[in-house]
Amino acid sequence: MQIRASDTDFVSAGGGSHSGRSLRFSSIVMHKATAEIIERGRKIAAFMLNVNPEEIDFTDGHFRARGSNGVVSLFEAAQAAENDLGLPDELRGTLAAISDETTHGLAYPYGAAVCEIEIDPETGFSIFRVIRQSTTSARR
């Protein structure tokens, strides 16, 4: 896995990194990409084991055919996708996925940061002296 951040020559979409939103969105896109890789790997393993994809379970990095001893590791499936000329065209090639996610509403932060500053009453400008500050996060 390769993660690129702040590379606008490479990353064509996104809104930058902001607080808890970054981890939440990255976990969503990683989950979606992982699910896509596993699904394609399931089809490759099913072809290799001569069973239907619905008969393949994925656990602990291995595709297992139900009711048999047939097992294909994720890495074996990836290698077969790269090298096996017997696979159907749609299963050939690098075992990889790209995922993107768009928020359709507002995102709310997980916590709050508060800062109190002093304002000079004669000029109306802040004196740039922090009187007190606090950071909190919601816990249940």
Side-chain angles (χ1 to χ4, degrees):
M1 175 184 292
Q2 183 180 32
I3 298 176
R4 292 188 181 197
S6 304
D7 184 351
T8 56
D9 288 336
F10 181 79
V11 180
S12 60
S17 178
H18 307 283
S19 188
R21 182 174 73 169
S22 297
L23 180 58
R24 182 168 37 110
F25 277 136
S26 64
S27 68
I28 291 168
V29 296
M30 284 189 270
H31 174 76
K32 287 182 172 184
T34 300
E36 189 176 320
I37 289 169
I38 291 171
E39 186 54 35
R40 185 158 160 246
R42 182 185 320 277
K43 292 174 184 175
I44 293 167
F47 183 86
M48 293 171 70
L49 298 172
N50 199 29
V51 298
N52 291 322
E54 296 79 24
E55 299 174 54
I56 298 286
D57 294 318
F58 181 75
T59 55
D60 299 325
H62 293 82
F63 298 97
R64 292 173 166 63
R66 284 184 224 125
S68 77
N69 292 329
V71 178
V72 174
S73 77
L74 177 63
F75 295 107
E76 290 169 331
Q79 185 176 23
E82 289 280 340
N83 303 324
D84 189 346
L85 300 178
L87 286 174
D89 288 343
E90 67 271 10
L91 298 179
R92 291 186 198 162
T94 303
L95 189 56
I98 296 173
S99 180
D100 192 13
E101 181 68 21
T102 303
T103 180
H104 298 287
L106 298 174
Y108 296 96
Y110 295 101
V114 178
C115 178
E116 181 179 340
I117 61 170
E118 188 174 347
I119 305 292
D120 183 337
E122 292 181 21
T123 65
F125 293 105
S126 66
I127 301 174
F128 295 107
R129 183 175 64 169
V130 176
I131 296 173
R132 93 181 133 204
Q133 65 182 25
S134 176
T135 305
T136 182
S137 61
R139 295 187 185 186
R140 294 180 187 240

